[in-house]
Amino acid sequence: MRVIQFREALREAMSEEMRRDKNVYLMGEEVAEYNGAYKVSQGMLDEFGPERVIDTPIAELGFTGIAVGSAMNGLRPIVEFMTWNFAILAADQIINSAAKMLQMSGGQYSVPIVFRGGNGTAGQLAATHSQSFEAFYAHVPGLKVLTPSNPYDAKGLLKAAIRDNDPVVFLESEKMYGDKGEVPEGEYIIPIGQAKVKRTGADVTIVSFGKIIKIVDEAADALAAEGIHVEVIDLRTIRPWDEKTVIESVKKTNRLLIVEESWPVASIASEITFRVQRMAFDYLDAPIRRLMQSDTPFPFSTSLIEAALPNTGDVVRVVKELMYK
Amino acid sequence: MAKSGGSKFSKAQYLKWYESMLLMRKFEEKCGQLYIQQKFGGFCHLYIGQEAVVAGTISACTKDDKHITAYRDHAHPLGLGMHPKFVMAELYGKATGCSKGKGGSMHMFDKELNMMGGHGIVGAQIPMGAGIAFAEKYKGTKNVAFCSFGDGAARQGALHETFNMAMTWKLPVIFIIENNNYAMGTSVQRTTNVTDLSKMGDSYEMPSESVDGMTVEAVHEAIARACDHARKGNGPTLLDIRTYRYKGHSMSDPQKYRTKEEVKNWQNQDPIDKVLDTIIKNKYATEKQIEAIQDRVKALVDESVEFAENSPLPDPSELYKDVYMQEDYPYVTE
């Protein structure tokens, strides 16, 4: 199978959907003439023209509100944020307008829109440029939240997001845009709300999502060499998350570790933990564990970054603790 | 200020304005009474005094144009021709309301009438209004979007971001400041160094004018000019429409920030009285015909209250409807 970059997978998803539906357009800072701050939209201006690939001024609140209004009036915008940190300025339009329009209009005005961009830590960018927003947006009814971890999922999920009739928050990573992976030629859609069991195993279930799942994969290999077989679930969709797949796995392994690149308080791990203890309490042979980034604004210095983020060794250690080894 | 003599408009137009504005006035007066009687809850922002702004806008637009406004939004659907019973039922939170009882006073919607809300977050409708216009331009129509907001909302940063893009992209949006001089209890004079709000578009070179909002003809003519400009592809206009709300910001406002004389001065230029004067002076209607209009309006308002009172509340199962378009969305219920 052919191998392409994460950014190319996203671009293919957007371009295919824009060829399919003339109401789909892309808007954001540097998406057109500059070809994308991270080259996700490279070449799209040439193909679709300035009416459909639209450079905006640096005005997140304004252009997000314009996109929401256009979605109420029949269009299907894709809004690119250079990073999700900047989208905090647009949170009013995402949370107060897009997420609530359908309900407050009594079902009359839907907002079919995709908000997408880089999320999470991305090296030495310091605290304001290093935040993860899964829990922040998953908290809000009316939104759907997706976090792909590889090029294949990125393409299939973004196509699903663009076709979805609800507002979708799509969380990528500056650190993943160059990642390569197998992506078949031709069209495919990955349904929203379905997790992927990446690796089967009987000893411990590990739930993760986004780029930090890479340390889980590495730990799984290391543990396998020691005869410990973990089951790895990539959540892919954060809201609504695939509870059934997680519960079924926990009923088999009786042990659960959640690895999340975000702060611990009121996190996705918190929510998963609640649901698992509620639905599978009698199956648990050990307290649920989680590995999170530090409960601090993200640091700048490399030594502090190392201390702030969980690593492969941490995953190996906690899996063994879960097994009382 | 753009003013008008009045003779340019037909008898039918004057009678329509009179009936429409009188309905807004009587409907809102009834809302105020019902609110005090605790017939419905939530906020309640009345449009009394400002009727000419909506009436003059709607008489100058076409039925395919789009409308979005703030939370002082009872008059807009009435002006667009919605039966007042659907507005009243919405205030009561009844299933028969124009937003199925899910929006309330601040969130009146009607897709058939292109009434795209009532929005409760101050100024959020400014970029959304430009976005509605963006979609019209994208689809190649000649329709315009009317985006109304108060002098208070004009102080949100979103206004500047939106003005900049609306001018850069020449969006067919007409920004209407329903300038009643008070952001809740804070006057324009206390919140800005530049009290002439028509200048707010200047740094974007947005065409603008101040309009006498107590004179429906003046509003109509200003809106018509702005529509013509937008439909030709020339982009937005900012209209600073000077009006006044006779009542408080909401029902809980003691109004200590203004004098009774000030209110009285504005009431002396009442837009409905002026239209009625024109009708009487020009013999557009007999006394009997005017009474018939008044009776019709009263009957409509009474019918609305009865309808709202007798309508059912939403079934509890509605709680999990209209949140997502996806019909089988798996809500977390514990």
Side-chain angles (χ1 to χ4, degrees):
Chain A
M1 203 189 292
R2 71 178 177 144
V3 169
I4 63 171
Q5 288 184 346
F6 197 107
R7 60 166 62 83
E8 294 171 301
L10 294 171
R11 186 188 312 144
E12 281 191 359
M14 292 193 288
S15 297
E16 286 174 16
E17 293 305 303
M18 285 176 67
R19 284 174 209 131
R20 181 178 170 269
D21 182 350
K22 64 178 176 11
N23 289 327
V24 179
Y25 72 92
L26 173 66
M27 169 184 272
E29 293 155 3
E30 309 290 2
V31 297
E33 294 198 7
Y34 194 84
N35 280 305
Y38 296 100
K39 301 291 172 265
V40 173
S41 56
Q42 190 156 40
M44 289 179 66
L45 174 64
D46 290 342
E47 179 175 353
F48 298 104
E51 289 79 25
R52 297 183 68 194
V53 180
I54 301 157
D55 278 327
T56 67
I58 300 171
E60 284 83 6
L61 175 60
F63 70 72
T64 303
I66 287 174
V68 169
S70 79
M72 289 173 73
N73 199 13
L75 302 186
R76 305 181 72 88
I78 305 166
V79 178
E80 177 175 307
F81 296 117
M82 203 176 288
T83 91
W84 273 95
N85 301 288
F86 309 157
I88 290 177
L89 291 152
D92 174 51
Q93 289 292 343
I94 300 171
I95 294 171
N96 279 323
S97 298
K100 295 170 178 61
M101 197 66 66
L102 187 68
Q103 190 215 40
M104 292 206 305
S105 68
Q108 294 179 87
Y109 285 100
S110 60
V111 181
I113 191 168
V114 177
F115 305 106
R116 49 158 290 269
N119 175 61
T121 68
Q124 288 186 277
L125 304 181
T128 61
H129 283 55
S130 306
Q131 302 168 96
S132 295
F133 290 90
E134 282 89 354
F136 192 87
Y137 288 108
H139 192 57
V140 182
L143 299 178
K144 294 176 179 174
V145 181
L146 311 184
T147 303
S149 69
N150 59 73
Y152 176 83
D153 288 351
K155 181 173 177 182
L157 285 170
L158 185 53
K159 285 172 70 77
I162 295 167
R163 290 190 195 185
D164 200 89
N165 289 321
D166 293 306
V168 178
V169 167
F170 197 90
L171 302 160
E172 305 156 9
S173 165
E174 295 102 300
K175 284 284 197 191
M176 283 197 292
Y177 289 132
D179 286 359
K180 290 180 176 170
E182 288 189 340
V183 175
E185 305 271 357
E187 191 169 281
Y188 63 94
I189 303 268
I190 297 174
I192 291 172
Q194 290 184 9
K196 178 160 71 182
V197 180
K198 286 187 79 176
R199 181 182 192 117
T200 55
D203 294 329
V204 172
T205 298
I206 305 179
V207 173
S208 188
F209 50 86
K211 77 171 185 290
I212 203 162
I213 207 166
K214 291 173 188 174
I215 68 166
V216 177
D217 294 337
E218 287 167 12
D221 287 339
L223 287 160
E226 297 183 42
I228 296 170
H229 300 286
V230 296
E231 183 143 301
V232 179
I233 297 174
D234 185 346
L235 221 45
R236 303 196 294 193
T237 297
I238 309 303
R239 183 187 181 94
W241 63 278
D242 186 351
E243 180 176 315
K244 187 164 168 278
T245 297
V246 173
I247 298 285
E248 274 173 14
S249 178
V250 170
K251 285 183 176 175
K252 181 176 77 176
T253 64
N254 314 112
R255 292 170 170 85
L256 174 62
L257 166 63
I258 304 153
V259 181
E260 179 177 354
E261 187 191 308
S262 192
W263 300 308
V265 177
S267 58
I268 301 303
S270 314
E271 178 63 17
I272 294 171
T273 301
F274 171 80
R275 292 299 301 172
V276 170
Q277 67 81 30
R278 177 66 183 84
M279 303 310 290
F281 185 75
D282 290 338
Y283 292 87
L284 289 169
D285 285 346
I288 298 167
R289 297 288 301 273
R290 64 182 179 183
L291 282 164
M292 312 291 293
Q293 77 184 55
S294 61
D295 191 19
T296 65
F298 197 68
F300 172 76
S301 241
T302 52
S303 62
L304 298 177
I305 288 176
E306 206 177 312
L309 285 174
N311 59 34
T312 304
D314 294 328
V315 178
V316 169
R317 173 177 54 79
V318 175
V319 165
K320 287 180 179 172
E321 286 171 9
L322 271 163
M323 297 178 70
Y324 301 107
K325 285 198 174 183
Chain B
M1 286 223 182
K3 297 231 183 203
S4 164
S7 56
K8 292 179 212 166
F9 298 96
S10 69
K11 166 183 149 181
Q13 180 64 74
Y14 275 100
L15 292 173
K16 202 170 174 192
W17 274 332
Y18 178 63
E19 184 157 351
S20 174
M21 290 197 286
L22 190 66
L23 177 62
M24 295 172 202
R25 175 74 53 95
K26 295 297 170 192
F27 182 90
E28 292 289 60
E29 285 174 356
K30 179 61 80 176
C31 284
Q33 293 165 13
L34 294 166
Y35 191 83
I36 288 164
Q37 294 168 30
Q38 299 184 314
K39 293 284 188 181
F40 55 84
F43 291 136
C44 184
H45 309 90
L46 303 179
Y47 206 70
I48 295 172
Q50 303 184 196
E51 295 89 348
V53 184
V54 163
T57 299
I58 287 163
S59 61
C61 75
T62 70
K63 72 169 177 43
D64 292 325
D65 292 333
K66 308 293 188 289
H67 303 263
I68 189 167
T69 187
Y71 47 83
R72 195 178 303 283
D73 65 340
H74 306 168
H76 300 72
L78 297 181
L80 285 165
M82 187 191 291
H83 194 295
K85 68 184 183 182
F86 300 119
V87 183
M88 191 63 85
E90 190 59 38
L91 289 166
Y92 273 69
K94 296 294 181 77
T96 54
C98 63
S99 305
K100 292 178 20 188
K102 297 181 177 185
S105 169
M106 301 192 288
H107 309 102
M108 300 290 171
F109 288 85
D110 190 324
K111 202 165 187 175
E112 295 282 302
L113 296 172
N114 293 318
M115 174 66 199
M116 301 180 76
H119 295 274
I121 300 292
V122 177
Q125 78 278 21
I126 300 173
M128 281 191 275
I132 291 163
F134 177 97
E136 295 297 338
K137 183 172 173 154
Y138 188 98
K139 291 184 274 190
T141 75
K142 289 284 175 199
N143 304 328
V144 306
F146 296 99
C147 178
S148 304
F149 50 94
D151 47 281
R155 294 296 153 202
Q156 290 280 24
L159 174 137
H160 293 279
E161 298 186 12
T162 303
F163 278 14
N164 183 40
M165 283 179 273
M167 280 304 293
T168 306
W169 300 337
K170 298 291 181 283
L171 302 180
V173 54
I174 296 163
F175 296 108
I176 297 169
I177 307 181
E178 295 176 323
N179 181 358
N180 61 27
N181 201 45
Y182 290 97
M184 209 164 149
T186 306
S187 68
V188 169
Q189 291 72 21
R190 290 176 56 216
T191 47
T192 182
N193 184 46
V194 182
T195 54
D196 179 354
L197 302 189
S198 73
K199 290 183 179 169
M200 291 198 77
D202 283 1
S203 55
Y204 313 100
E205 298 185 347
M206 187 183 292
S208 71
E209 53 180 302
S210 293
V211 182
D212 171 10
M214 305 304 274
T215 304
V216 69
E217 299 94 323
V219 175
H220 178 106
E221 289 179 338
I223 294 282
R225 281 191 293 277
C227 285
D228 187 50
H229 184 77
R231 292 192 216 284
K232 283 180 181 154
N234 296 324
T237 298
L238 171 64
L239 298 177
D240 169 27
I241 303 190
R242 308 272 174 92
T243 183
Y244 201 75
R245 60 169 158 74
Y246 300 169
K247 302 286 180 180
H249 163 75
S250 65
M251 294 301 295
S252 58
D253 176 0
Q255 303 179 60
K256 291 190 173 153
Y257 48 84
R258 62 184 187 185
T259 62
K260 288 196 170 110
E261 291 70 36
E262 180 183 304
V263 178
K264 192 80 202 141
N265 284 340
W266 282 90
Q267 285 174 328
N268 287 339
Q269 340 165 27
D270 187 78
I272 304 176
D273 287 352
K274 279 197 259 186
V275 164
L276 185 57
D277 282 350
T278 306
I279 289 171
I280 292 167
K281 265 187 213 143
N282 292 290
K283 300 194 168 54
Y284 287 159
T286 63
E287 211 168 295
K288 226 176 181 169
Q289 285 166 325
I290 291 166
E291 272 172 28
I293 292 174
Q294 292 163 348
D295 289 346
R296 217 161 38 231
V297 164
K298 185 176 182 311
L300 268 176
V301 173
D302 290 346
E303 182 192 344
S304 301
V305 178
E306 201 184 322
F307 178 80
E309 294 269 353
N310 294 329
S311 288
L313 288 165
D315 188 86
S317 66
E318 283 292 315
L319 183 60
Y320 289 106
K321 289 177 188 161
D322 300 325
V323 178
Y324 289 95
M325 291 291 284
Q326 181 187 340
E327 289 189 3
D328 59 349
Y329 184 86
Y331 294 94
V332 175
T333 54
E334 185 182 341

